[in-house]
Amino acid sequence: MHKKLFIPGPVEVRPDVLEKMATPMIGHRSKDASALQRRISDKLRQLFYTKEEILLSTTSGSGLMEGAVRSCTAKRAAIFSVGAFGNRWYDMAKSNNVPADLFEVEWGKPTTPELVDEVLSTGKYDLITITHNETSTGLMNPVEEIAEVMKKYPEVVYCLDTVSSMGGTKIEVDKLGVDICITSSQKALGLPPGIAACSMSQKAVERAKQVPNRGLYLDLLSLYEYIQKKDYQYPSTPSLSHMYALDYQLDRILEEGIENRFKRHKEMAEVVRAWAREHFEIFPDERYMSNTLTNIKNTRNIDVADLNKKLGERGFQISNGYGKLKDKTFRIAHMADCTMEDIHDVLKNIDEILGF
Ligand SMILES: *Cc1c(COP(=O)(O)O)cnc(C)c1O
């Protein structure tokens, strides 16, 4: 039996979107391939609220995260972390010989604008990374407040991980002053895993030109220049199948209306939060809860693996805690094309299994 996914990626993908993955191939140097990539970029610009260039990558989101920190750090990177994915960005910097320092806060707490200001005021850093929506803790960072602080540091390239939030909540890239905003297909966008996208500002482009060893496959400047020189093509062979599906899914997202989509995510989040408060507790600081997933403190010490096994028999799957939170929390995702009916359905089944 297929288990309907309520895990924070990959998410449930609509059958009509899956079908687009089976579109017959075209040459990746054809006019059709350029037109396809251009259409995707134009639509992503709307979703990202940006006028900047959009880069695609035939990798998951991690590829562009690694590419960004390596391609655009000339001096030293300040990596702000609120959980597992922030820490991973630090590991990426270190393993690429990019000078970097990690500023990790207690899990469940946000990166505050005060911390960003304090770190950047040392003048040591020319790039920062922030996790918008930390999937390991279910926390959404206060990026509007961080944007205010960033106005003081125009020389710093600002990279934002929106892998698990873009398409599920409003992120106004240009207004927030984000130079590289990264997302991936298999979360709030509602596609199979295997393609990632980011915006790249002129500031980030100019910075990359000053960085000597940017690698090759994940060099953001090469992705950017190929788009300029070859009219929206990709340096190597991209996953055209994902591009067909993405092009189609973006039409669906725009048809739903992006504001409606964000509202739907918020409403689903509110239902899951209310349920979580009634039976358990919410893990992160409640002022910074994620709109795309809820991380629930396992205050009743339930056997999450057993719950998931029983849910599986009923055709549902949720997620345990991430890393060190494995049995301490469990997570319910409410993102992409998930509906309110789906949410009520999964919660009702959990209630029955746990005897609530
Ligand atoms: C899933 C996730 C990643 C990793 O993305 P992949 O597409 O799996 O490479 C990075 N950051 C966050 C916040 C995520 O949720």
Side-chain angles (χ1 to χ4, degrees):
M1 184 185 20
H2 172 66
K3 293 180 204 159
K4 202 171 240 191
L5 297 180
F6 293 84
I7 62 175
V11 297
E12 201 60 27
V13 180
R14 288 173 51 111
D16 50 333
V17 176
L18 281 177
E19 247 174 56
K20 290 291 166 190
M21 294 283 291
T23 307
M25 283 303 114
I26 53 170
H28 67 298
R29 295 286 170 247
S30 63
K31 284 209 160 55
D32 286 348
S34 288
L36 177 61
Q37 187 166 339
R38 183 191 288 276
R39 282 200 302 278
I40 292 168
S41 302
D42 286 342
K43 286 179 265 195
L44 282 176
R45 269 187 274 271
Q46 292 183 52
L47 192 64
F48 280 53
Y49 294 83
T50 185
K51 292 190 170 55
E52 304 290 355
E53 196 52 89
I54 298 285
L55 315 181
L56 299 182
S57 174
T58 295
T59 59
S60 66
S62 302
L64 286 174
M65 289 168 69
E66 183 163 343
V69 75
R70 177 162 178 176
S71 305
C72 295
T73 308
K75 215 157 69 176
R76 196 171 188 89
I79 310 288
F80 293 94
S81 174
V82 294
F85 290 104
N87 290 352
R88 189 184 286 183
W89 225 339
Y90 179 67
D91 294 339
M92 288 166 171
K94 292 316 263 181
S95 41
N96 279 284
N97 281 319
V98 173
D101 294 311
L102 177 66
F103 301 95
E104 184 182 4
V105 296
E106 187 191 331
W107 285 26
K109 299 266 181 287
T111 296
T112 60
E114 292 77 18
L115 177 64
V116 174
D117 198 10
E118 188 189 315
V119 168
L120 291 185
S121 66
T122 61
K124 278 162 69 178
Y125 304 99
D126 63 352
L127 179 141
I128 67 162
T129 72
I130 302 265
T131 311
H132 177 249
N133 189 66
E134 179 50 76
T135 315
S136 63
T137 62
L139 176 136
M140 220 168 235
N141 264 317
V143 284
E144 281 82 12
E145 294 165 35
I146 292 170
E148 285 306 307
V149 165
M150 288 308 291
K151 287 181 185 157
K152 285 166 63 179
Y153 304 100
E155 72 289 357
V156 175
V157 168
Y158 178 4
C159 304
L160 187 66
D161 169 356
T162 64
V163 169
S164 61
S165 47
M166 183 60 80
T169 198
K170 194 175 205 165
I171 304 158
E172 294 178 278
V173 170
D174 288 355
K175 201 165 140 193
L176 294 172
V178 174
D179 295 296
I180 302 175
C181 183
I182 299 165
T183 196
S184 190
S185 54
Q186 79 280 12
K187 298 194 183 171
L189 290 176
L191 293 148
I195 193 168
C198 73
S199 61
M200 189 179 195
S201 72
Q202 278 309 308
K203 192 209 299 186
V205 170
E206 292 313 313
R207 169 62 60 70
K209 288 178 183 166
Q210 298 163 17
V211 176
N213 293 304
R214 300 183 302 274
L216 192 92
Y217 190 69
L218 299 174
D219 173 14
L220 264 51
L221 185 61
S222 112
L223 290 171
Y224 176 84
E225 288 181 338
Y226 229 82
I227 289 167
Q228 312 305 312
K229 286 184 196 144
K230 304 276 179 176
D231 188 24
Y232 281 91
Q233 289 195 0
Y234 192 74
S236 50
T237 321
S239 175
L240 293 156
S241 308
H242 280 94
M243 289 168 70
Y244 279 122
L246 180 56
D247 184 37
Y248 174 80
Q249 174 70 344
L250 286 167
D251 282 338
R252 290 198 56 255
I253 290 173
L254 295 173
E255 268 162 34
E256 177 181 10
I258 44 185
E259 295 283 354
N260 293 336
R261 190 176 175 87
F262 302 151
K263 188 160 159 271
R264 174 168 59 79
H265 279 76
K266 192 83 192 291
E267 287 166 358
M268 293 190 297
E270 276 159 9
V271 169
V272 177
R273 290 168 192 166
W275 178 88
R277 286 192 195 101
E278 188 183 340
H279 302 292
F280 296 91
E281 275 172 42
I282 290 182
F283 177 78
D285 183 328
E286 291 218 11
R287 288 170 297 174
Y288 305 100
M289 288 181 292
S290 163
N291 287 342
T292 57
L293 80 146
T294 300
N295 194 14
I296 301 159
K297 221 189 257 180
N298 186 6
T299 48
R300 292 173 181 253
N301 219 1
I302 59 161
D303 183 336
V304 176
D306 185 61
L307 167 63
N308 229 351
K309 185 167 154 278
K310 291 185 174 133
L311 275 174
E313 286 158 10
R314 295 161 177 246
F316 301 92
Q317 189 182 346
I318 61 167
S319 191
N320 54 14
Y322 193 103
K324 65 183 181 188
L325 297 178
K326 189 167 187 289
D327 297 309
K328 297 200 177 95
T329 74
F330 61 98
R331 297 171 297 162
I332 300 175
H334 27 80
M335 60 171 88
D337 292 312
C338 182
T339 65
M340 193 61 98
E341 202 185 336
D342 295 330
I343 291 297
H344 285 305
D345 225 15
V346 72
L347 294 179
K348 180 170 140 283
N349 277 276
I350 298 175
D351 283 349
E352 284 171 14
I353 293 165
L354 296 180
F356 291 157

